[in-house]
Amino acid sequence: MAASLVFRLHDRGPEVVREVLLERGWEEYDRRHRQDEDWNLYWRASLFHKSDYYKLMPWQRLNHHPKTVGITRKDFLTRNLRRMRTTFGAGVYDFSPIAFILPNDYTRFLAEYNRQRMIPGPPIYWICKPVDLSRGRGIFIFEDIKDLVYDSSVIVQRYISNPILISGYKFDLRIYVCVKSFNPLTVYIHQEGLVRFATEKYQLSHLGNLYSHLTNTSINKFSPFYKTEKGKVGQGCKWTMSKFRHFLHCQEVSELLLWQRINNIVTLTLLAIAPSVPHFPNCVELLGFDILIDVKLKPWLLEVNFSPALTLDCQADITVKKRKLHKCLKVNRSDASMTLPQGEKLPLLKPEKRQKKSSGLIPRYHRYLPPVEINKPGAKSGMVSANTTTYSDNKSADLILGPRTKLTGVKKLPLNTASSQTRERGAAVPPPRVGDFIRTFPFNSATLKASQEILDVRTVIQELLKLTAKLSHCSRPNRRKIRLDGVRDSEGDGTFESLFWGPKDPKLISHCLQHL
Ligand code: ADP
């Protein structure tokens, strides 16, 4: 009998998660009819209790890893990135605007503020944000310290006052990052994302106009210009990442370097907490990274969102958020009777014993979930087609429930399947892509090795720098027009290949490098 998978939503939300899971044939947990542990996925927008992790059964999944608050609260992020900057150098950790946690750092802020005032040049602006609020609440921008007024813990951050604009409007990128595991670190980034626009033209002379300076949808959807046509931006305040890619194509810019820098931001930020996140393999985390790009095409990290908003305000939201969830939770009713990759059966959850009340409402069912083993020997990795050099999706895997292993397609060569890597190096290679999620870490043999057992942060950073230096060398002004297709291999060591997250059709990193 086809099994039902059961989900629990904390506080009845988010609605889109319920919608997607029900569409995929899941059942919602009902405590009147089920035992406490009788569920497969527990989704909550807030933190789980420590004890929830210790009580986890093999068939259960949580949508958060413990301790990710180290990067998702503004003050913790500031502190962690400051520590990384001190340890690994300001040249590496140069992607987040300098910030101070007030009231504690007030004296340091004052010193920096005065120092900046002495430097000749355009004025310097600052942005003040409450540490534990979101959606633009309580934020203001100031130039003069006399305008800094706060009554709770805040961070004051250098305001990036020269953002790249589209038709005069400021925007930032919302990048969806899925951390499959912190130990070993395994990171995927979704191919789609959102571009969030301000709804009034950018003007430094009007610092108080939040519709001009903040890109939060929660603010801009109430703007009087929300529905107005705004040049290339159009109506509303959102684009899909695909539309942004199209926009970039029309510009004379070094796209690959921009994408790689965004990749670096994601990895370097996660490295700040990865060694201290306890290992719970049945968890997954979906984070929203907010990235602002300045006129020199330098991406800046503004913040990392825990439980990024899943409200559907417009068509771009439906395209991006719903699709992303479908990919993330890609398991159908018919997929539910699963076997482990090696063909072993998991112990059954016996309905007759588990059911609290035999109300007759719940059919007899068998539910299996393999432990999440994307990184473990035996998990199948993606395959590469011999003639097209594009990867097939690992169509039967999903990021929450783990791999299922039917790969289809014509004339495929195995690409470093996990099992072959295991024999060769003692470590398994996670699939290069899972649906529309592209693996961005580990991205080569050295980072795979450095992330096993104890995470070797220094080696990982060196590898990131090497890759970025190659891309940057290849994208000097005289070689600015980059074609993203038809690239050839140069860098691969023939045993471990990764896709390059960013461009529409991701190519092998090695191919990107050689073709530049
Ligand atoms: P929240 O969690 O309230 O959304 P954010 O840090 O994301 O707080 O800031 C909200 C918005 O303010 C961002 O989306 C961006 O448009 C703008 N913003 C935040 N920090 C900066 C900064 N340092 N420089 C320029 N704009 C910023």
Side-chain angles (χ1 to χ4, degrees):
M1 179 187 292
S4 289
L5 293 166
V6 179
F7 66 94
R8 280 179 78 171
L9 290 182
H10 182 68
D11 271 353
R12 310 254 333 123
E15 188 51 41
V16 65
V17 175
R18 172 179 292 106
E19 211 176 293
V20 168
L21 286 168
L22 291 175
E23 276 170 23
R24 304 207 72 89
W26 288 59
E27 275 178 40
E28 185 157 8
Y29 176 82
D30 181 344
R31 69 169 63 246
R32 287 169 305 171
H33 303 301
R34 293 193 183 273
Q35 297 281 334
D36 282 354
E37 74 277 24
D38 215 359
W39 48 268
N40 299 104
L41 169 66
Y42 192 174
W43 187 287
R44 62 187 289 165
S46 50
L47 294 171
F48 285 104
H49 298 292
K50 205 170 163 188
S51 59
D52 292 332
Y53 293 100
Y54 290 98
K55 286 192 299 205
L56 264 183
M57 306 300 266
W59 59 85
Q60 297 175 329
R61 307 287 184 266
L62 301 181
N63 73 321
H64 295 299
H65 288 279
K67 291 206 173 178
T68 47
V69 72
I71 52 172
T72 56
R73 231 180 84 142
K74 295 178 177 68
D75 48 346
F76 295 166
L77 176 69
T78 301
R79 204 168 290 136
N80 273 320
L81 292 182
R82 191 184 286 164
R83 178 177 51 80
M84 295 301 274
R85 199 175 295 134
T86 312
T87 314
F88 298 104
V92 181
Y93 277 84
D94 66 343
F95 54 83
S96 87
I98 186 168
F100 302 88
I101 306 162
L102 302 190
N104 284 5
D105 290 342
Y106 186 79
T107 320
R108 284 165 74 175
F109 169 60
L110 194 61
E112 179 64 16
Y113 171 85
N114 286 327
R115 196 179 71 80
Q116 296 285 356
R117 298 275 279 198
M118 305 298 284
I119 301 171
I124 302 295
Y125 302 94
W126 301 90
I127 182 164
C128 176
K129 323 188 221 184
V131 295
D132 52 0
L133 290 185
S134 58
R135 292 181 271 134
R137 288 171 294 175
I139 295 185
F140 60 93
I141 300 147
F142 64 95
E143 185 190 346
D144 193 321
I145 201 165
K146 74 171 168 27
D147 297 323
L148 171 61
V149 181
Y150 56 95
D151 57 9
S152 64
S153 188
V154 295
I155 69 158
V156 169
Q157 191 176 57
R158 170 108 182 227
Y159 188 63
I160 306 301
S161 57
N162 58 345
I164 179 170
L165 305 176
I166 296 181
S167 294
Y169 294 89
K170 176 176 171 177
F171 64 92
D172 70 2
L173 308 182
R174 164 61 57 86
I175 312 280
Y176 293 101
V177 174
C178 179
V179 185
K180 185 72 211 72
S181 153
F182 274 96
N183 179 17
L185 185 62
T186 311
V187 184
Y188 287 79
I189 307 186
H190 198 259
Q191 273 293 83
E192 263 309 342
L194 288 168
V195 183
R196 308 174 317 157
F197 286 91
T199 41
E200 290 195 31
K201 289 208 171 177
Y202 187 69
Q203 277 185 316
L204 281 167
S205 51
H206 292 83
L207 292 181
N209 185 356
L210 298 186
Y211 297 132
S212 149
H213 289 277
L214 304 195
T215 51
N216 303 79
T217 308
S218 46
I219 289 180
N220 285 290
K221 68 182 176 188
F222 297 111
S223 155
F225 300 98
Y226 180 69
K227 291 203 171 140
T228 313
E229 283 288 341
K230 297 178 281 296
K232 281 190 195 145
V233 177
Q235 286 188 353
C237 65
K238 268 184 199 161
W239 278 7
T240 59
M241 194 67 94
S242 302
K243 194 163 173 184
F244 180 62
R245 286 190 183 102
H246 181 74
F247 165 83
L248 278 183
H249 271 301
C250 306
Q251 314 293 312
E252 288 272 302
V253 296
S254 170
E255 272 182 69
L256 287 196
L257 196 55
L258 174 65
W259 296 125
Q260 182 54 30
R261 283 176 163 169
I262 295 176
N263 272 321
N264 290 355
I265 290 179
V266 171
T267 307
L268 290 168
T269 305
L270 293 170
L271 287 178
I273 54 161
S276 58
V277 175
H279 181 50
F280 286 101
N282 282 16
C283 304
V284 73
E285 186 91 45
L286 191 63
L287 298 164
F289 278 63
D290 290 348
I291 307 280
L292 185 80
I293 305 168
D294 72 17
V295 283
K296 292 183 187 152
L297 277 190
K298 177 180 164 69
W300 294 89
L301 176 68
L302 299 183
E303 71 156 347
V304 182
N305 291 273
F306 180 81
S307 286
L310 289 172
T311 40
L312 303 181
D313 290 321
C314 59
Q315 190 51 46
D317 275 348
I318 296 169
T319 312
V320 174
K321 294 181 184 174
K322 218 172 158 186
R323 193 178 149 95
K324 174 195 69 192
L325 275 175
H326 263 289
K327 296 289 173 190
C328 212
L329 304 166
K330 198 165 135 212
V331 60
N332 289 309
R333 204 182 174 82
S334 57
D335 296 330
S337 66
M338 292 179 276
T339 51
L340 284 169
Q342 295 89 341
E344 292 165 41
K345 294 263 186 205
L346 276 164
L348 298 183
L349 199 66
K350 294 251 168 50
E352 344 32 291
K353 288 203 183 138
R354 296 261 178 234
Q355 238 167 272
K356 221 176 198 172
K357 295 174 190 168
S358 58
S359 63
L361 288 174
I362 299 178
R364 285 167 61 85
Y365 62 93
H366 291 167
R367 254 193 350 258
Y368 309 91
L369 280 182
V372 182
E373 300 293 21
I374 265 181
N375 269 6
K376 290 277 171 68
K380 296 257 172 78
S381 97
M383 306 183 100
V384 65
S385 147
N387 43 4
T388 62
T389 15
T390 54
Y391 285 84
S392 67
D393 285 5
N394 192 343
K395 284 198 161 59
S396 53
D398 68 73
L399 286 168
I400 291 193
L401 299 180
R404 271 143 300 118
T405 54
K406 272 179 242 141
L407 282 168
T408 53
V410 281
K411 207 178 176 195
K412 288 180 176 157
L413 299 173
L415 176 91
N416 315 319
T417 58
S419 44
S420 67
Q421 287 284 324
T422 305
R423 278 195 298 278
E424 208 178 312
R425 299 169 191 279
V429 183
R433 72 182 295 167
V434 178
D436 290 342
F437 282 91
I438 307 298
R439 170 176 35 80
T440 57
F441 192 90
F443 57 88
N444 62 12
S445 311
T447 50
L448 176 73
K449 197 162 163 241
S451 57
Q452 303 300 310
E453 311 289 330
I454 294 169
L455 182 63
D456 178 352
V457 176
R458 199 167 290 279
T459 300
V460 171
I461 292 176
Q462 277 164 4
E463 289 299 316
L464 274 181
L465 294 181
K466 262 199 257 172
L467 177 58
T468 314
K470 281 182 192 160
L471 283 164
S472 129
H473 175 77
C474 296
S475 350
R476 295 265 156 78
N478 54 345
R479 313 182 65 170
R480 279 171 86 184
K481 264 277 177 197
I482 295 166
R483 279 179 57 79
L484 299 176
D485 48 354
V487 286
R488 286 179 294 128
D489 195 348
S490 74
E491 151 105 331
D493 58 6
T495 58
F496 189 144
E497 288 280 22
S498 293
L499 294 167
F500 188 86
W501 176 85
K504 181 168 175 283
D505 298 311
K507 305 292 183 212
L508 295 171
I509 291 181
S510 53
H511 286 192
C512 297
L513 282 171
Q514 194 175 60
H515 205 72
L516 287 170

Coordinates of all heavy atoms in Angstrom, one line a residue, residues 74 97 127 129 133-137 139 157-160 170 172 196 213-216 290 292 302-303, ligand 1:
K74 N 21.3 39.7 13.5 CA 22.2 40.7 13.0 C 23.4 40.9 13.9 O 24.6 41.1 13.4 CB 21.5 42.0 12.8 CG 20.4 41.9 11.8 CD 19.6 43.3 11.7 CE 18.6 43.3 10.6 NZ 17.4 42.4 10.8
P97 N 29.5 45.2 5.2 CA 29.8 46.6 5.6 C 30.2 46.6 7.1 O 29.6 45.9 7.9 CB 28.5 47.3 5.4 CG 27.6 46.5 4.5 CD 28.1 45.0 4.8
I127 N 23.4 53.1 8.6 CA 22.1 52.5 8.7 C 22.0 51.8 10.1 O 22.9 51.1 10.5 CB 21.7 51.6 7.6 CG1 20.3 51.1 7.6 CG2 22.7 50.4 7.4 CD1 19.8 50.4 6.3
K129 N 19.8 49.3 12.6 CA 18.8 48.3 12.5 C 18.7 47.5 13.9 O 19.7 47.1 14.4 CB 19.2 47.2 11.5 CG 19.9 47.7 10.2 CD 20.0 46.6 9.2 CE 21.4 46.7 8.5 NZ 21.5 45.7 7.5
L133 N 14.8 42.4 14.9 CA 13.6 42.6 14.1 C 13.9 42.2 12.6 O 15.1 42.2 12.2 CB 13.1 44.0 14.2 CG 12.5 44.4 15.5 CD1 12.0 45.9 15.5 CD2 11.4 43.5 16.0
S134 N 12.9 42.1 11.8 CA 13.0 41.8 10.4 C 12.1 42.6 9.6 O 11.3 43.5 10.2 CB 12.8 40.3 10.2 OG 11.5 40.0 10.6
R135 N 12.0 42.4 8.3 CA 11.1 43.1 7.4 C 11.2 44.6 7.5 O 10.2 45.3 7.3 CB 9.7 42.6 7.6 CG 9.5 41.2 7.2 CD 8.1 40.7 7.4 NE 7.9 40.1 8.8 CZ 6.9 40.4 9.5 NH1 5.9 41.2 9.1 NH2 6.8 39.9 10.7
G136 N 12.4 45.1 7.7 CA 12.6 46.5 7.6 C 12.1 47.3 8.8 O 12.3 48.5 8.9
R137 N 11.6 46.6 9.8 CA 11.0 47.3 11.0 C 12.1 48.0 11.8 O 13.1 47.4 12.1 CB 10.2 46.3 11.8 CG 8.9 45.9 11.2 CD 8.3 44.7 12.0 NE 9.1 43.5 11.9 CZ 8.8 42.4 12.6 NH1 7.7 42.4 13.4 NH2 9.6 41.4 12.6
I139 N 14.1 50.4 11.0 CA 15.4 50.8 10.4 C 15.3 52.2 10.0 O 14.3 52.7 9.5 CB 15.6 49.9 9.1 CG1 15.8 48.4 9.5 CG2 16.7 50.4 8.3 CD1 16.1 47.5 8.4
Q157 N 25.4 50.1 10.9 CA 26.3 49.6 9.8 C 26.6 50.7 8.8 O 25.7 51.5 8.5 CB 25.5 48.4 9.1 CG 26.2 47.5 8.2 CD 25.3 46.4 7.7 OE1 24.2 46.6 7.2 NE2 25.7 45.2 7.9
R158 N 27.7 50.6 8.2 CA 28.0 51.5 7.1 C 27.0 51.3 6.0 O 26.7 50.2 5.6 CB 29.4 51.3 6.6 CG 29.8 52.0 5.3 CD 30.8 53.1 5.6 NE 31.0 53.8 4.3 CZ 32.2 54.1 3.9 NH1 33.3 53.7 4.7 NH2 32.4 54.7 2.8
Y159 N 26.4 52.4 5.5 CA 25.4 52.3 4.5 C 26.0 52.3 3.1 O 26.9 53.2 2.8 CB 24.4 53.6 4.6 CG 23.2 53.5 3.7 CD1 22.3 52.5 3.9 CD2 23.1 54.5 2.7 CE1 21.2 52.5 3.0 CE2 21.9 54.4 1.9 CZ 21.0 53.4 2.1 OH 19.9 53.4 1.2
I160 N 25.7 51.3 2.3 CA 26.3 51.2 1.0 C 25.5 52.2 0.1 O 24.4 51.9 -0.3 CB 26.2 49.8 0.4 CG1 26.8 48.7 1.4 CG2 26.9 49.7 -1.0 CD1 28.3 49.0 1.7
K170 N 16.8 51.3 -6.6 CA 17.7 50.4 -5.8 C 17.1 49.0 -5.8 O 15.9 48.8 -5.8 CB 17.9 50.9 -4.4 CG 18.7 50.1 -3.4 CD 18.9 50.8 -2.1 CE 19.5 49.9 -1.1 NZ 19.7 50.6 0.2
D172 N 18.0 44.7 -4.2 CA 19.0 43.6 -3.7 C 18.5 42.3 -4.1 O 17.5 42.1 -4.7 CB 19.2 43.8 -2.2 CG 18.0 43.3 -1.3 OD1 17.0 42.9 -1.9 OD2 18.0 43.4 -0.1
R196 N 14.7 42.2 -5.3 CA 13.7 43.0 -4.6 C 14.0 44.5 -4.8 O 15.1 44.9 -4.5 CB 13.7 42.6 -3.2 CG 13.5 41.1 -3.0 CD 13.6 40.7 -1.5 NE 14.7 41.3 -0.8 CZ 14.8 41.5 0.5 NH1 13.8 41.0 1.2 NH2 15.8 42.1 1.1
H213 N 15.0 53.7 -0.1 CA 16.2 53.2 0.4 C 16.1 51.7 0.9 O 17.1 51.0 1.0 CB 16.7 54.0 1.6 CG 17.2 55.3 1.2 ND1 18.5 55.5 0.7 CD2 16.6 56.6 1.1 CE1 18.7 56.8 0.3 NE2 17.5 57.4 0.6
L214 N 14.9 51.2 1.2 CA 14.8 49.9 1.6 C 14.1 49.0 0.5 O 13.2 49.5 -0.2 CB 14.0 49.7 2.9 CG 14.4 50.5 4.1 CD1 13.7 50.0 5.4 CD2 15.9 50.5 4.4
T215 N 14.6 47.8 0.4 CA 14.1 47.0 -0.7 C 13.1 45.9 -0.1 O 12.7 45.0 -0.9 CB 15.2 46.3 -1.4 OG1 16.1 45.7 -0.5 CG2 16.0 47.3 -2.2
N216 N 12.8 45.9 1.1 CA 11.9 44.9 1.7 C 10.5 45.0 1.0 O 9.9 46.1 0.9 CB 11.6 45.2 3.2 CG 12.9 45.2 4.0 OD1 13.6 46.1 4.0 ND2 13.2 44.1 4.6
D290 N 20.7 38.0 1.8 CA 20.4 39.3 1.1 C 21.7 39.9 0.6 O 22.6 40.2 1.5 CB 19.6 40.2 2.0 CG 18.2 39.7 2.3 OD1 17.8 38.8 1.6 OD2 17.6 40.3 3.2
L292 N 23.5 43.0 -1.7 CA 23.4 44.2 -2.4 C 24.6 44.4 -3.3 O 25.8 44.1 -2.9 CB 23.4 45.4 -1.4 CG 23.2 46.8 -2.0 CD1 21.7 47.0 -2.2 CD2 23.6 47.9 -1.0
L302 N 24.1 41.8 3.3 CA 23.4 42.7 4.2 C 22.9 41.9 5.4 O 23.0 42.3 6.5 CB 22.1 43.3 3.5 CG 22.5 44.2 2.3 CD1 21.2 44.8 1.8 CD2 23.5 45.3 2.7
E303 N 22.4 40.7 5.2 CA 22.0 39.8 6.3 C 21.6 38.5 5.8 O 21.5 38.2 4.6 CB 20.8 40.5 7.1 CG 19.5 40.4 6.4 CD 18.3 40.4 7.3 OE1 18.5 40.3 8.6 OE2 17.2 40.6 6.9
Ligands
ADP1 P1 15.6 43.4 7.8 O1 15.9 42.1 8.5 O2 14.7 44.3 8.6 O3 15.0 43.2 6.4 P2 18.0 44.2 6.5 O4 19.4 44.2 7.0 O5 17.8 43.1 5.4 O6 17.0 44.1 7.6 O7 17.8 45.6 5.8 C1 16.6 45.9 5.2 C2 16.9 46.6 3.9 O8 17.6 47.8 4.1 C3 17.7 45.8 2.9 O9 16.9 45.0 2.1 C4 18.4 46.9 2.1 O10 17.5 47.4 1.1 C5 18.6 48.0 3.1 N1 19.9 47.9 3.7 C6 20.2 47.2 4.8 N2 21.5 47.4 5.2 C7 22.1 48.2 4.2 C8 23.4 48.7 4.0 N3 24.4 48.4 4.8 N4 23.6 49.5 2.9 C9 22.6 49.7 2.0 N5 21.3 49.3 2.2 C10 21.0 48.5 3.3

